């Protein structure tokens, strides 16, 4: 066994940096020194507002109190994303958390559903999802771990202010002994013999040394790209949106427990209700829309008074060719970016952290271990990429050059295979343990975007249709009763001491 890692320097203090600091400090305790360097002059991106349910596992790992976390970050709950005007103008569908149907059974829910639907014996898809029903009703509640309960599938995530989340994690980390160093890095010092990073040099001349460096410097990728030249795989031919214009506006009640994504002329607009304000942004393709036009469209489509000047952000969808190189692991925006349509960036930070803990190195930095990390995280990112591409490609929209472009573009083989399997006989599958999105997610988005299977698997023609239809009816009734009994979103937050006290 080689020497253990004794010191870790996290470079960058945005959401990624402080998440990494919290998890590493919590896991390593006194066995390694965890420090973080950041520059207030540079600041953070801080626009991430929507998350997915596994963030609960992350917050549990680092020992956060949920009610305190929600008050500190002005968080609300999220049960779904509502997609407006995506498949075609005027169409709306819900991508809920959790499953459709009764959860894991041997039979695929969608096969029964489409077999019965063809005979007029099934309702709307959303009738069979507790989260879709809760979204429609504006309700939330506690998930029940009992698999027989209709609330077993009531998964929730958070909407929060990412800037406040980073600030809150900083407070928690500093209280637990993580050292924060203020300073601007001007150079990266590498060992001449093998290129390992030895230290980072600050503007004031100090050199900060460590055994392991976590690059959380945002789009800059100061260590992974600036020093180690990992290279960037550009995916903008599949995901051509490359700009965002973001602005908060005054809240409008009731407080919706879902992210709204409205497709627009050259991209889409998000709307996210937090406790103290509503976050909005237009994510668009600069080949098809000017910044000024995006700004105008955004401001013309707000629920309430804008609370700031719109802020412009630029990005290139893609990923670092290597996430972990030598003694540098990149997390967050420094490792790549998939645009925020399915709220996956903060999730990928978390996934990178969990994988780093699984693959935690010692001082020999075994190549097999590093390659395993890169391969598995890379696979997860590619599968998310395919899922996001699906939203753009599977559309009937042809009302603007942008939509005509994405509708006609070639897509990855891995995605077309899945789309064809669904179109042919409603077949859905999950690729493996590295895939985040479930069959239920693929079902919601494929069907929601307008892909209708030619028919179900022929075996489902043999089922007793009336018995199966009665089963669906029972389920739908049970979910309706469950959601009727849930509290309204804001009432739930207030009753559970999650409300920050403002407004
Ligand atoms: P940053 O926030 O950019 O932090 C970089 C850090 O590095 C800062 O502390 C900075 O000071 C430091 N730094 C950089 N250079 C130096 C230097 N030379 N010296 C010292 N320090 C330095 N994610 C979601 O999950 N959900 C969403 O809804 C969502 N929406 C988004 C919308 C948009 C338009 C964009 C662009 C992103 C969105 N994201 C979303 C992504 C999310 O914002 C990021 O994944 C998350 O904030 C992590 O950012 P980061 O910490 O990697 O980088």
């Amino acid at each position: 066994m080689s020497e253990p890692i004794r010191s870790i320097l996290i470079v960058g203090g945005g959401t990624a940096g402080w998440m990494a600091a919290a998890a590493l400090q919590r896991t390593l305790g006194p066995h390694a020194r965890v420090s973080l360097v950041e520059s207030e002059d540079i600041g953070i991106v801080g626009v991430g507002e929507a998350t997915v349910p596994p963030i609960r596992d992350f917050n549990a790992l680092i020992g956060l109190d949920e009610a305190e976390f929600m008050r500190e970050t002005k968080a609300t709950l999220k049960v779904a994303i509502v997609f407006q005007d995506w498949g075609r103008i005027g169409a709306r569908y819900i991508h809920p958390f959790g499953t459709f149907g009764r959860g894991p059974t041997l039979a695929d829910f969608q096969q029964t559903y489409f077999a019965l639907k063809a005979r007029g014996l099934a309702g709307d898809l959303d009738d069979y999802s507790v989260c879709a029903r809760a979204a429609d009703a504006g309700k939330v509640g506690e998930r029940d771990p009992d698999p027989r309960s209709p609330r077993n599938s009531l998964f929730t995530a958070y909407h929060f202010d990412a800037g406040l989340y980073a600030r809150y994690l900083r407070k928690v980390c500093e209280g637990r002994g993580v050292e924060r160093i203020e300073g601007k890095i001007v150079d990266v010092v590498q060992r001449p013999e093998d290129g390992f990073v030895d230290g980072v040099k600050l503007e004031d001349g100090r050199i900060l040394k460590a055994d392991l460096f976590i690059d959380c410097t945002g789009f800059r990728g100061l260590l992974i790209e600036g020093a180690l030249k990992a290279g960037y795989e550009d995916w903008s031919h599949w995901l051509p949106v490359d700009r965002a214009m973001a602005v908060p506006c005054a809240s409008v009640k009731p407080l919706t427990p879902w992210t709204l994504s409205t497709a627009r002329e050259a991209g889409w607009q998000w709307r996210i209700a937090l406790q103290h304000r509503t976050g909005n942004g237009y994510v668009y393709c600069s080949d098809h829309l000017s910044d000024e036009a995006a700004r105008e469209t955004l401001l013309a489509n707000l629920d309430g008074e804008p609370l700031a000047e719109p802020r412009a952000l630029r990005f290139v969808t893609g990923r670092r060719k290597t996430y972990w190189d030598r003694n540098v692991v990149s997390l967050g925006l420094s490792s790549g970016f998939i645009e925020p349509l399915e709220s996956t960036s903060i999730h990928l930070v978390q996934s990178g952290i969990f994988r780093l803990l699984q693959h935690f190195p010692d001082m020999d930095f075994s190549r097999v271990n590093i390659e395993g990390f890169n391969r598995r995280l890379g696979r997860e990112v590619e599968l998310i990429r395919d899922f996001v591409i699906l939203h753009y490609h599977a559309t009937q929209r042809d009302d603007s050059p942008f939509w005509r472009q994405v509708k006609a573009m070639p897509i990855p083989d891995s995605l077309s295979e899945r789309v064809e399997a669904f179109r042919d006989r409603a077949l859905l599958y999950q690729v493996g343990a590295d895939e985040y999105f479930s069959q239920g997610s693929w079902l919601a988005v494929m069907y929601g975007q307008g892909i209708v299977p030619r028919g179900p698997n022929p075996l489902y023609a043999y089922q007793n249709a009336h018995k199966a239809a009665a089963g669906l009816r029972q389920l739908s009734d049970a979910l309706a009763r469950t959601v009727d009994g849930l509290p309204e979103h804001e009432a739930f937050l207030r009753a559970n001491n999650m409300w920050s006290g403002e407004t």
Side-chain angles (χ1 to χ4, degrees):
M1 191 78 177
S2 124
E3 283 295 298
I5 301 283
R6 296 275 184 221
S7 56
I8 302 171
L9 182 66
I10 296 157
V11 186
T15 318
W18 285 111
M19 284 174 76
L24 290 169
Q25 188 282 331
R26 184 85 173 173
T27 316
L28 290 161
H31 302 291
R33 178 170 50 85
V34 178
S35 320
L36 183 149
V37 57
E38 67 175 318
S39 160
E40 253 160 34
D41 286 352
I42 294 177
I44 67 171
V45 163
V47 281
E49 290 174 333
T51 61
V52 287
I55 190 156
R56 291 177 165 277
D57 302 331
F58 181 79
N59 284 353
L61 170 83
I62 61 172
L64 295 187
D65 172 77
E66 186 185 27
E68 180 184 270
F69 147 77
M70 292 193 68
R71 291 192 304 271
E72 292 274 341
T73 61
K74 316 267 192 233
T76 55
L77 292 173
K78 168 183 172 188
V79 291
I81 305 178
V82 173
F83 288 91
Q84 180 67 48
D85 297 338
W86 276 85
R88 60 186 163 73
I89 292 177
R92 171 186 185 271
Y93 73 93
I94 300 179
H95 172 196
F97 294 143
T99 49
F100 289 94
R102 288 189 192 278
T105 60
L106 284 181
D108 282 335
F109 165 78
Q110 83 280 0
Q111 297 290 3
T112 300
Y113 177 74
F114 288 116
L116 296 177
K117 185 85 182 159
R119 301 176 61 174
L121 295 173
D124 289 339
L125 186 58
D126 293 343
D127 294 351
Y128 311 106
S129 152
V130 72
C131 282
R133 281 182 173 275
D136 263 339
K139 304 232 180 141
V140 295
E142 293 280 352
R143 176 173 176 255
D144 185 344
D146 181 348
R148 290 160 306 180
S149 163
R151 280 192 290 117
N152 182 245
S153 205
L154 186 55
F155 286 91
T156 49
Y158 308 106
H159 292 132
F160 57 52
D161 181 322
L164 292 181
Y165 186 50
R167 202 183 302 165
Y168 174 54
L169 291 182
R170 171 179 164 184
K171 191 168 76 178
V172 170
C173 287
E174 287 187 310
R176 293 176 182 171
V178 174
E179 184 195 11
R180 175 188 177 277
I181 302 150
E182 171 63 33
K184 192 171 186 174
I185 293 154
V186 289
D187 200 8
V188 179
V189 185
Q190 289 174 263
R191 290 198 312 227
E193 66 273 22
D194 55 13
F196 273 57
V197 171
D198 205 23
V200 291
K201 187 173 177 193
L202 303 186
E203 220 170 19
D204 62 11
R206 273 180 296 166
I207 293 183
L208 307 176
K209 292 190 168 233
D211 296 334
L212 174 66
F213 291 83
I214 314 292
D215 185 344
C216 297
T217 56
F219 289 125
R220 292 170 190 80
L222 216 63
L223 279 69
I224 195 76
E225 191 60 55
L228 298 183
K229 310 273 180 271
Y232 197 73
E233 200 173 310
D234 182 338
W235 286 337
S236 45
H237 51 295
W238 288 316
L239 292 167
V241 299
D242 58 354
R243 301 268 166 101
M245 196 66 78
V247 72
C249 75
S251 304
V252 171
K253 304 287 167 111
L255 204 62
T256 45
W258 33 270
T259 306
L260 175 63
S261 167
T262 306
R264 302 228 177 274
E265 179 192 341
W268 62 279
Q269 181 171 336
W270 80 75
R271 175 194 173 284
I272 292 173
L274 303 182
Q275 292 187 21
H276 59 315
R277 61 167 171 80
T278 299
N280 308 274
Y282 187 177
V283 182
Y284 58 100
C285 175
S286 62
D287 286 348
H288 295 291
L289 198 74
S290 69
D291 295 348
E292 196 39 45
R295 186 177 183 281
E296 269 172 34
T297 303
L298 177 65
L299 291 174
N301 288 285
L302 301 180
D303 289 347
E305 280 299 297
L307 299 176
E309 263 302 298
R311 183 172 156 217
L313 296 123
R314 293 175 175 217
F315 53 84
V316 177
T317 293
R319 62 140 173 230
R320 221 45 86 192
K321 286 184 179 155
T322 311
Y323 302 110
W324 179 347
D325 186 3
R326 286 164 268 195
N327 61 341
V328 174
V329 181
S330 58
L331 291 174
L333 299 173
S334 71
S335 68
F337 184 55
I338 295 181
E339 54 121 313
L341 186 59
E342 282 284 352
S343 326
T344 43
S345 283
I346 292 172
H347 174 72
L348 284 172
V349 172
Q350 155 179 350
S351 185
I353 291 171
F354 282 153
R355 289 174 197 279
L356 171 61
L357 296 178
Q358 278 179 329
H359 288 254
F360 201 74
D362 49 27
M363 287 301 286
D364 75 0
F365 287 98
S366 127
R367 201 162 49 86
V368 176
N369 183 47
I370 295 177
E371 283 172 359
F373 173 95
N374 283 327
R375 194 169 46 248
R376 292 179 53 212
L377 186 57
R379 186 79 188 117
E380 179 174 2
V381 176
E382 280 169 17
L383 291 165
I384 289 176
R385 172 203 69 192
D386 283 2
F387 189 62
V388 175
I389 296 171
L390 170 70
H391 300 62
Y392 287 100
H393 184 65
T395 183
Q396 293 152 50
R397 286 190 66 149
D398 58 3
D399 50 289
S400 70
F402 172 77
W403 288 105
R404 289 194 286 277
Q405 176 187 328
V406 291
K407 192 175 162 188
M409 72 187 170
I411 56 173
D413 291 345
S414 44
L415 174 59
S416 48
E417 206 178 291
R418 288 177 99 131
V419 170
E420 287 319 313
F422 180 71
R423 205 192 302 274
D424 182 47
R425 52 176 57 206
L427 188 66
L428 293 167
Y429 51 87
Q430 221 170 336
V431 169
D434 289 331
E435 173 150 36
Y436 169 65
F437 286 107
S438 65
Q439 292 195 18
S441 288
W442 283 93
L443 171 61
V445 175
M446 291 216 238
Y447 192 51
Q449 291 285 141
I451 305 174
V452 180
R454 278 196 303 114
N457 175 333
L459 284 180
Y460 286 76
Y462 307 147
Q463 71 186 337
N464 179 330
H466 289 283
K467 195 168 157 214
L472 277 195
R473 253 195 323 276
Q474 263 174 17
L475 173 66
S476 167
D477 291 347
L479 296 182
R481 279 194 306 276
T482 300
V483 170
D484 273 350
L486 295 177
E488 304 281 343
H489 187 193
E490 186 172 328
F492 180 86
L493 301 186
R494 287 182 186 275
N496 288 284
N497 200 21
M498 295 165 170
W499 194 256
S500 68
E502 285 184 30
T503 67

